[in-house]
C-alpha cells in the first residue's frame, strides 16, 4: 500500500524555524521530519522515523556481516560501576543523575563501557570465548551545556556502540581493523563523504584513536590534512614536535623596560619598533617575538581548582577546544577578576615568567609552554609589573621550562608533523569513533579470563561508536539544495514521490495504478493525493527529498509521465507503460 499524503501525519513549513542554525536543523523541521520537544530533545515524526530506521538498518546489517553480536542494555543504570571506574565523578555535570525512592543513585547512560565489561565478566571465563565483539544500538543521554544544531548535538541521541575483548594486543589490532572495515562499508552504504583522522579518546581513555568525519562547513570538529602525505587529524589531536634548541650564547642579558600603554600584543610591537632604545638592529620586532601568557582555572572532577598558565607565541592564541580536550576530564574556566585578586603576583596584561618562580613569583601557578618556544629562544614578555615588559628573556636561561602543552591555534600552512608538507584546515561532523581502550575498564571491574595455561589474564578492549541519529543529520548536511532535502536512495523514506499535476479522473486513475505497480515490484511510494495546487505539490516534493519524483501531468494525454531525479534535477518524459521498469533501473543503479 502506498503512503498517501492526504492521511500522512505531516505538516511542512514555508519558513525556517527561528532557532535553526544549520541546514539539517532547518530542513528536517521544515519538511516535517522532526519536532523540538525541549532544548536538545526531538520527536521523530513518521517521515523522519523512516529515514532514521533506514540508517539504523544499514548500521546493524554491517555490524552483523562483520560477525559482531547485538545485545541491548537499559538506559537507566546504577551508579556503582561508574564509581568503580571513577567516572561517576569524572563526568561532572555532563550527565543526568537521579535517585530512586530508596535514595539509590542512578544515571541515564551516556555510554556503556562498564556494563559491557561486567556482562562479559558474568558470562566469559575462558580464552575459548575470545575474541568477542558485541554491540548495541541504544539511546544515550548527556546534559549538554549548549545543545544546538537540532539532532546534531542533542541531550538525547542514538548511538551504536560496540566493544571488542581480546587476550592480547595483537588480537586487539585485528578487532580494531575489523571495525574500521565495517565502518567504511557502513558510511559508503549511507552515501556519506567522510575522512578518517587521528583523534583523542576523551574521558573514556585509550589509545590509537581515530574519528570518521563527514566534511561540511557546519561541522563542529576542525581537522587538518597534509598536502603532501596522508596525515589527517582532528585539530584537538595534532601534536607538533618541540622546536630545536637555539644557541643563546650571544643573546643579551634580559632587561626590563618601561612600556606604558601596551595592553595588547600589537601595541607592544608598535612601541618596540617605534623607539630607538627598543628597536632591534637586524629587523623589526614581530608579534611572533612576543611571549603571550594566558591564565585559566582548571576544575578537577572532585571540584578542586588550580590556575594554569600557558605560554604561546604572541601571534597565536590558545584554542579553547584544544585546551579543553587536553584537560579532560577536568574543566577549563576563565580566570576571573577574583582569581587575579587571589594571585596578586599575576598582573593582568603584563604576565611573564621569571627566575623567582614559575610565573610572576607565584609558585601556585603551573606554567606550560607551547612546543614552538625553543630552549634558548629569546622573547619580549610581561615583567609582572604594570606598564613594563622584559626584553631578551631567554627560555631555559632566564626561566625554567616546566613542561609543554600543545593547545595553540592551528592555521592553514602550518608544517605537517609527519613530513615536510603543509597543513590545510577543514570542518566536519563526527559520525564515528574507534579506539583501543586497553585494560582500564577490565582492570577496574576485575574482569579476568583463563588463558591456555590456566592463568588468569586481563583482556584488552576496543571501543567503537557510530552516531546513528547524528548520521541522519550529517547526510542532510551533505545532501540538500536550495529547495530542500536530497536523500541518498539507501536512506530515503520512500523510493518514489508520486504526484498528480492535473485534477481529472484520468490523472487520479493513472496515479493510483502507478502507485500499485511500483509497490508490486518492491518500490515504496509516497503518493501526494491531496487536493492541492500543482505548485504546492512540486514544492513539497522538492522539500521532502525522495530520490525519484514521478509526475502525472500534461503528458498523460500522450501516454507519458515525467520522471525527475531529485539529486541531479534531470527530468524527462517516459512512456506510462515502461515507467515502472525505468524507475526500477534507477533504483538499482550504483550510487
Amino acid at each position: 500500500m502506498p503512503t498517501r499524503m492526504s492521511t500522512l501525519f505531516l505538516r511542512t513549513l514555508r519558513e525556517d524555524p527561528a532557532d535553526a542554525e544549520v541546514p539539517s536543523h532547518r530542513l528536517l523541521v521544515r519538511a516535517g521530519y522532526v519536532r523540538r520537544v525541549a532544548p536538545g530533545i526531538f520527536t521523530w515524526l513518521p517521515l523522519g522515523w523512516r529515514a532514521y530506521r533506514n540508517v539504523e538498518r544499514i548500521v546493524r546489517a554491517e555490524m552483523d556481516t562483520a560477525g559482531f553480536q547485538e545485545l541491548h542494555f537499559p538506559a537507566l543504570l546504577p551508579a556503582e560501576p561508574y564509581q568503580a571506574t571513577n567516572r561517576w565523578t569524572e563526568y561532572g555535570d555532563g550527565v543526568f543523575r537521579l535517585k530512586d525512592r530508596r535514595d539509590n543513585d542512578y544515571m541515564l547512560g551516556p555510554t556503556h563501557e562498564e556494563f559491557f565489561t561486567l556482562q562479559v565478566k558474568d558470562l566469559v571465563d575462558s580464552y575459548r570465548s575470545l575474541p568477542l565483539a558485541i554491540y548495541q544500538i541504544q539511546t544515550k543521554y548527556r546534559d549538554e551545556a549548549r545543545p544546538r544544531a537540532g539532532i546534531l548535538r542533542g541531550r538525547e541521541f542514538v548511538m551504536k556502540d560496540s566493544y571488542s575483548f581480546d587476550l592480547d594486543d595483537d588480537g586487539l589490532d585485528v578487532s580494531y581493523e575489523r571495525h574500521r572495515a565495517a565502518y567504511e562499508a557502513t558510511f559508503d552504504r549511507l552515501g556519506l563523504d567522510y575522512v578518517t583522522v587521528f583523534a583523542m579518546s576523551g574521558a573514556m581513555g585509550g589509545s590509537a584513536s581515530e574519528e570518521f568525519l563527514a566534511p561540511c562547513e557546519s561541522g563542529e570538529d576542525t581537522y587538518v590534512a597534509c598536502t603532501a602525505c596522508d596525515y589527517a587529524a582532528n585539530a584537538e589531536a595534532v601534536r607538533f614536535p618541540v622546536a630545536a634548541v637555539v644557541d643563546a650564547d650571544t643573546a643579551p642579558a634580559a632587561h626590563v623596560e618601561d612600556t606604558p600603554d601596551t595592553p595588547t600584543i600589537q601595541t607592544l610591537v608598535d612601541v618596540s619598533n617605534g623607539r630607538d632604545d627598543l628597536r632591534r638592529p637586524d629587523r623589526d620586532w614581530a608579534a611572533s617575538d612576543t611571549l603571550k601568557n594566558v591564565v585559566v582555572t582548571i576544575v578537577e572532577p572532585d571540584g578542586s581548582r588550580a590556575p594554569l598558565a600557558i605560554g604561546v607565541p604572541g601571534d597565536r592564541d590558545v584554542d579553547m577546544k584544544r585546551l579543553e580536550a587536553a584537560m579532560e576530564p577536568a574543566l577549563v574556566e576563565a580566570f576571573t577578576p577574583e582569581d587575579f585578586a587571589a594571585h596578586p603576583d599575576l598582573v593582568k596584561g603584563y604576565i611573564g615568567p621569571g627566575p623567582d618562580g614559575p610565573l610572576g613569583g607565584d609558585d601556585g601557578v603551573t606554567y606550560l609552554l607551547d612546543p614552538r618556544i625553543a630552549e634558548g629562544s629569546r622573547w619580549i614578555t610581561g615583567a609582572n609589573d604594570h606598564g613594563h615588559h622584559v626584553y631578551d628573556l631567554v627560555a631555559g636561561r632566564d626561566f625554567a621550562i616546566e613542561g609543554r602543552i600543545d593547545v595553540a591555534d592551528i592555521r592553514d600552512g602550518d608544517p605537517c608533523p609527519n613530513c615536510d608538507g603543509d597543513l590545510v584546515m577543514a570542518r566536519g561532523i563526527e559520525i564515528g569513533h574507534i579506539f583501543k581502550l586497553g585494560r582500564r575498564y577490565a582492570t577496574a571491574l576485575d574482569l579476568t579470563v583463563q588463558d591456555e595455561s590456566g592463568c588468569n589474564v586481563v583482556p584488552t578492549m576496543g571501543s567503537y561508536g557510530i552516531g546513528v541519529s547524528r548520521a541522519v543529520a550529517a547526510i542532510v548536511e551533505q545532501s540538500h539544495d536550495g529547495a530542500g532535502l536530497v536523500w541518498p536512495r539507501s536512506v530515503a523514506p520512500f523510493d518514489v514521490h508520486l504526484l498528480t499535476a492535473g485534477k481529472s479522473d484520468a490523472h487520479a486513475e493513472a496515479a493510483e495504478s502507478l502507485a500499485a505497480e511500483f509497490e508490486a515490484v518492491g518500490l515504496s511510494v509516497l503518493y501526494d493525493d491531496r487536493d492541492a495546487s500543482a505548485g504546492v505539490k512540486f514544492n513539497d516534493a522538492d522539500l521532502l527529498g525522495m530520490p525519484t519524483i514521478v509526475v502525472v501531468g500534461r503528458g498523460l494525454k500522450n501516454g507519458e509521465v515525467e520522471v525527475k531525479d531529485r539529486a541531479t534535477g534531470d527530468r524527462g518524459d517516459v512512456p506510462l507503460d515502461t515507467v515502472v521498469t525505468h524507475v526500477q533501473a534507477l533504483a538499482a543503479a550504483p550510487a
Side-chain angles (χ1 to χ4, degrees), residues 224-397:
V224 300
C226 180
T227 57
C229 72
D230 61 358
Y231 177 84
N234 189 303
E236 297 170 0
V238 176
R239 293 293 176 265
F240 293 102
V242 175
V245 175
V246 175
D247 183 359
D249 288 345
T250 60
H255 49 102
V256 176
E257 301 291 346
D258 184 14
T259 52
D261 303 320
T262 54
T264 67
I265 295 295
Q266 189 57 54
T267 55
L268 175 61
V269 170
D270 291 342
V271 166
S272 300
N273 287 325
R275 282 172 40 180
D276 291 339
D277 59 326
L278 299 179
R279 189 178 298 119
R280 286 182 64 136
D282 53 340
R283 62 173 174 80
D284 283 347
W285 291 105
S288 57
D289 297 314
T290 67
L291 178 58
K292 180 190 298 183
N293 298 294
V294 178
V295 188
V296 296
T297 297
I298 303 301
V299 184
E300 298 294 343
D302 63 5
S304 61
R305 305 168 64 87
L308 169 67
I310 302 160
V312 299
D315 62 338
R316 303 269 173 172
D317 290 311
V318 171
D319 184 324
M320 293 309 295
K321 287 194 69 173
R322 298 189 75 206
L323 177 58
E324 289 166 356
M327 291 293 107
E328 275 193 335
L331 301 177
V332 180
E333 292 185 356
F335 213 64
T336 65
E338 292 75 19
D339 293 322
F340 275 107
H343 295 273
D345 286 339
L346 302 181
V347 180
K348 187 175 182 180
Y350 297 90
I351 299 171
D356 297 330
L359 211 67
D362 192 329
D363 289 316
V365 181
T366 300
Y367 184 47
L368 302 177
L369 289 178
D370 183 87
R372 297 172 183 82
I373 299 172
E375 182 178 351
S377 57
R378 64 191 230 194
W379 302 88
I380 307 172
T381 192
N384 305 300
D385 184 14
H386 188 80
H388 292 80
H389 284 87
V390 184
Y391 285 72
D392 299 312
L393 190 77
V394 174
R397 184 194 72 179

Side-chain angles (χ1 to χ4, degrees), residues 37 63 87 211 223 231 234 320 341 346 383 478 480-481 553 587:
V37 173
M63 294 300 105
R87 292 209 296 173
E211 286 176 347
Y223 68 95
Y231 177 84
N234 189 303
M320 293 309 295
L346 302 181
Q478 292 188 343
H480 70 275
D481 60 20

Side-chain angles (χ1 to χ4, degrees), residues 413-470:
D414 278 345
C416 174
N418 194 52
C419 75
D420 294 330
D422 295 331
L423 297 180
V424 292
M425 303 186 68
R427 300 191 67 82
I429 298 167
E430 181 186 345
I431 51 177
H433 195 172
I434 59 177
F435 51 95
K436 299 176 181 179
L437 278 178
R439 294 175 171 82
R440 170 185 174 181
Y441 295 93
T443 300
L445 297 169
D446 197 28
L447 166 62
T448 62
V449 299
Q450 286 191 341
D451 64 12
E452 291 184 77
S453 63
C455 297
N456 286 333
V457 296
V458 178
T460 184
M461 296 170 57
S463 176
Y464 319 91
I466 288 178
V468 183
S469 53
R470 173 177 281 197

Side-chain angles (χ1 to χ4, degrees), residues 38-306:
I41 304 172
F42 286 81
T43 296
W44 293 93
L45 296 174
L47 285 180
W49 190 239
R50 288 179 71 105
Y52 163 80
R53 288 176 63 191
N54 284 337
V55 171
E56 183 184 276
R57 172 182 53 79
I58 290 171
V59 171
R60 178 175 285 112
E62 291 302 327
M63 294 300 105
D64 292 346
T65 297
F68 311 145
Q69 300 177 63
E70 185 175 9
L71 46 65
H72 192 80
F73 287 104
L76 180 63
L77 303 169
E80 288 85 354
Y82 290 112
Q83 291 166 339
T85 59
N86 202 40
R87 292 209 296 173
W88 183 261
T89 301
E90 287 180 358
Y91 271 125
D93 295 331
V95 294
F96 291 98
R97 294 180 172 87
L98 64 157
K99 292 180 179 289
D100 67 10
R101 66 183 66 197
R102 295 180 178 83
D103 207 37
N104 296 311
D105 287 314
Y106 286 83
M107 183 186 291
L108 291 179
T111 184
H112 283 73
E113 282 84 359
E114 287 83 353
F115 295 89
F116 275 90
T117 306
L118 288 172
Q119 196 66 69
V120 172
K121 178 181 178 181
D122 181 38
L123 297 177
V124 173
D125 57 12
S126 169
Y127 73 94
R128 293 184 179 87
S129 298
L130 303 183
L132 173 68
I134 48 181
Y135 78 94
Q136 67 168 343
I137 297 175
Q138 166 67 286
T139 302
K140 310 288 188 181
Y141 300 88
R142 293 180 187 168
D143 192 4
E144 290 281 357
R146 296 176 296 277
R148 59 176 295 275
I151 60 174
L152 271 178
R153 189 177 182 89
R155 292 178 166 182
E156 178 185 270
F157 53 95
V158 179
M159 280 190 64
K160 187 287 304 177
D161 46 336
S162 54
Y163 296 85
S164 61
F165 297 81
D166 289 275
L167 273 183
D168 53 35
D169 291 342
D170 288 342
L172 175 56
D173 290 343
V174 174
S175 294
Y176 187 89
E177 292 303 321
R178 288 175 63 203
H179 275 84
R180 184 210 291 271
Y183 276 38
E184 291 172 348
T186 299
F187 298 134
D188 287 343
R189 286 186 61 184
L190 291 175
L192 279 164
D193 177 26
Y194 64 92
V195 295
T196 308
V197 303
F198 295 116
M200 298 184 71
S201 301
M204 289 181 284
S207 62
S209 177
E210 292 176 286
E211 286 176 347
F212 294 81
L213 301 178
C216 70
E217 287 299 318
S218 56
E220 286 195 319
D221 284 81
T222 301
Y223 68 95
V224 300
C226 180
T227 57
C229 72
D230 61 358
Y231 177 84
N234 189 303
E236 297 170 0
V238 176
R239 293 293 176 265
F240 293 102
V242 175
V245 175
V246 175
D247 183 359
D249 288 345
T250 60
H255 49 102
V256 176
E257 301 291 346
D258 184 14
T259 52
D261 303 320
T262 54
T264 67
I265 295 295
Q266 189 57 54
T267 55
L268 175 61
V269 170
D270 291 342
V271 166
S272 300
N273 287 325
R275 282 172 40 180
D276 291 339
D277 59 326
L278 299 179
R279 189 178 298 119
R280 286 182 64 136
D282 53 340
R283 62 173 174 80
D284 283 347
W285 291 105
S288 57
D289 297 314
T290 67
L291 178 58
K292 180 190 298 183
N293 298 294
V294 178
V295 188
V296 296
T297 297
I298 303 301
V299 184
E300 298 294 343
D302 63 5
S304 61
R305 305 168 64 87

